[in-house]
Amino acid sequence: MTTSQPKLTIDRLIAELMALAKISEAEPPVVTRVVFGEADLRARVYVRGLCEAAGLRVSHDAIGNTFARWEGSDPSLAPVGTGSHIDAIPNAGLYDGCVGVLGGLEAIRVLQELGYKPRRPIELVIFTAEEPTRFGIGCLGSRMMADVLTVQQARALRDKEGRSLEDWRAQAGFTGPLELVAVPKGRWHQFVELHIEQGPYLEEEKLDVGLVTHIAAPASQRIVIEGEGGHAGGKLMPGRKDALAAASELVLALEAAAKSTGAIDTVGTVGVCEVFPGAVNSIPSRVQMTTDVRDIDRARRDGVLAKLAEAANEVSARRGVKISTELINADPPTTCDPAILAALEASAIAAGKSYKRMVARAYHDSSFVSCIAPTAMLFIPCRGGVSHRPDEYASPEWIGGGVHVLARTLALLAG
Ligand SMILES: [Zn+2]
């Protein structure tokens, strides 16, 4: 690629983002596009049409992950991938995910218009159901590609009304064996996802782009503590087995364990604590709580879980309460690929964009893509850090900056 500035027709991209936003289950500007719903299917048709108009060859897999391929001069090489998602939670905005899909398409078109011919194929990917709205599990499409969610687990998925994933995907026109969704390592040579930050820092620091070095991931648990109830007056303090008093020790133990790593990226939270029977004059007999521990380092995160388990054993023995722990999920934190980060940095410099390296605190399809290919993410600012709301906003300048850096990066990676 030459060092001349790619011609960014940002108006075209913004118009397409606005058109996509209107394909919604809710009244614009509110975007609601739940996977396999009527709006999601229409949005897929719209994006597919844009890809075909750009000369890309479009295909999809059995779960609806969609691939739009720009052939390289050596088609035998593994493609460079880019993309994100177009599904949206209820009452969302129009930039989350869509900037990575339509911005990725724009990057490809800019390269085409510059006369650039990639050696490796470049593939734009639209992942199915990054949002957990319908089936209660996020990053469904990328998770299945990476085989982190097995076919057996996928077949068991149901929506709130009990309708199965199998039923929904068949109605959406995605057939074929789910066994074919998982792909081997190396499916992409490298993968880079453009996304809004969903946090306030790039805007606050007046930076054009963020180069994501790590993607944090949560492990969450359900903990049930069973003690012994009784009258708050009748039963004296000696010999009590107060479930909430035991739970309180665990809340503090989690806080201490998270702080004990000394790393700013380790966070631990108890967000739910249900007390039974929940009466002013009754000793709590049972507490159910959830823990959420996040980090960018899996071993460090699992170390916090181990300390919490130790504390649970100790509290259980000392207080005579029964404590059971169930792991709800434990997704893999991601370390982004240094070679892609170097290409992103060189591209930001060449494009004259200010940048910093940063951590992604929410997880993304890239979290799972990183299990099958070297991966990195490119963030652009979003106003006030607001996301998952109708007033989510990224300016055309911010979007243009991200697409510019992405286009240069794709050209560097595809050779
Ligand atoms: Zn997203």
Side-chain angles (χ1 to χ4, degrees):
M1 191 171 138
T2 68
T3 51
S4 69
Q5 297 282 315
K7 185 167 97 7
L8 265 172
T9 46
I10 198 70
D11 294 352
R12 168 175 66 188
L13 171 56
I14 299 299
E16 288 167 355
L17 279 166
M18 297 304 151
L20 181 56
K22 290 198 179 106
I23 307 176
S24 169
E25 293 168 36
E27 202 56 42
V30 177
V31 179
T32 299
R33 232 172 7 239
V34 183
V35 69
F36 300 148
E38 175 269 333
D40 178 51
L41 299 185
R42 271 197 296 139
R44 287 166 181 268
V45 170
Y46 174 67
V47 174
R48 186 185 179 115
L50 296 178
C51 292
E52 285 168 348
L56 309 184
R57 200 171 79 233
V58 183
S59 61
H60 60 76
D61 67 12
I63 196 70
N65 291 316
T66 300
F67 312 98
R69 184 176 167 110
W70 182 19
E71 202 51 271
S73 60
D74 188 346
S76 69
L77 295 175
V80 169
T82 189
S84 194
H85 62 99
I86 59 169
D87 68 319
I89 63 163
N91 205 42
L94 68 95
Y95 300 91
D96 176 9
C98 299
V99 161
V101 171
L102 294 180
L105 174 62
E106 182 60 21
I108 288 172
R109 288 186 304 213
V110 168
L111 292 173
Q112 290 174 334
E113 286 158 11
L114 281 169
Y116 165 78
K117 298 258 186 295
R119 191 166 67 92
R120 289 182 179 277
I122 295 179
E123 194 172 57
L124 178 71
V125 188
I126 302 121
F127 291 105
T128 286
E130 194 268 349
E131 305 292 1
T133 315
R134 175 100 54 211
F135 299 108
I137 184 165
C139 301
L140 178 62
S142 52
R143 205 183 273 271
M144 288 192 71
M145 285 191 81
D147 209 16
V148 174
L149 183 80
T150 65
V151 170
Q152 205 182 0
Q153 290 169 321
R155 287 211 179 94
L157 290 178
R158 300 278 183 278
D159 67 9
K160 283 190 210 77
E161 281 75 48
R163 198 171 158 200
S164 70
L165 168 66
E166 286 296 66
D167 197 24
W168 272 107
R169 78 175 175 107
Q171 186 197 277
F174 300 117
T175 53
L178 285 179
E179 280 78 2
L180 297 180
V181 174
V183 296
K185 272 200 167 62
R187 166 69 178 75
W188 293 292
H189 174 64
Q190 287 160 319
F191 192 96
V192 54
E193 178 176 4
L194 172 67
H195 205 282
I196 58 169
E197 183 195 348
Q198 300 179 295
Y201 301 109
L202 291 174
E203 185 191 28
E204 277 176 19
E205 295 169 39
K206 298 193 167 39
L207 294 171
D208 297 316
V209 290
L211 317 185
V212 175
T213 58
H214 296 84
I215 309 170
S220 53
Q221 295 180 307
R222 191 176 294 114
I223 299 182
V224 177
I225 299 144
E226 285 168 286
E228 217 168 75
H231 194 285
K235 178 121 177 94
L236 299 176
M237 297 311 281
R240 278 200 189 191
K241 294 178 182 174
D242 183 325
L244 182 58
S248 309
E249 290 205 52
L250 292 190
V251 173
L252 296 177
L254 176 61
E255 185 186 51
K259 283 183 176 171
S260 73
T261 70
I264 190 80
D265 296 307
T266 315
V267 289
T269 308
V270 175
V272 174
C273 184
E274 290 163 0
V275 182
F276 301 92
V280 67
N281 57 355
S282 183
I283 300 166
S285 60
R286 186 169 184 273
V287 167
Q288 179 171 310
M289 61 187 203
T290 59
T291 61
D292 179 300
V293 181
R294 293 169 190 238
D295 208 323
I296 59 173
D297 181 305
R298 182 169 207 152
R300 203 165 58 197
R301 183 190 71 188
D302 293 350
V304 172
L305 297 182
K307 277 192 173 166
L308 182 63
E310 255 173 55
N313 283 337
E314 192 274 320
V315 168
S316 166
R318 177 162 43 81
R319 287 181 171 270
V321 295
K322 187 174 161 230
I323 302 179
S324 51
T325 301
E326 179 198 349
L327 189 66
I328 302 169
N329 72 306
D331 287 322
T334 301
T335 300
C336 292
D337 179 63
I340 305 175
L341 285 166
L344 283 166
E345 185 163 28
S347 300
I349 292 167
K353 301 298 174 192
S354 57
Y355 66 92
K356 71 164 183 174
R357 292 181 175 232
M358 63 189 299
V359 169
R361 302 286 169 192
Y363 70 31
H364 295 278
D365 287 308
S366 283
S367 305
F368 298 93
V369 174
S370 72
C371 302
I372 44 179
T375 299
M377 293 188 75
L378 173 63
F379 274 176
I380 60 166
C382 65
R383 189 177 59 197
V386 166
S387 185
H388 282 191
R389 276 172 30 187
D391 54 340
E392 181 181 82
Y393 178 74
S395 73
E397 292 70 33
W398 292 339
I399 295 170
V403 172
H404 189 164
V405 174
L406 178 64
R408 285 181 177 275
T409 302
L410 292 176
L412 283 175
L413 299 180

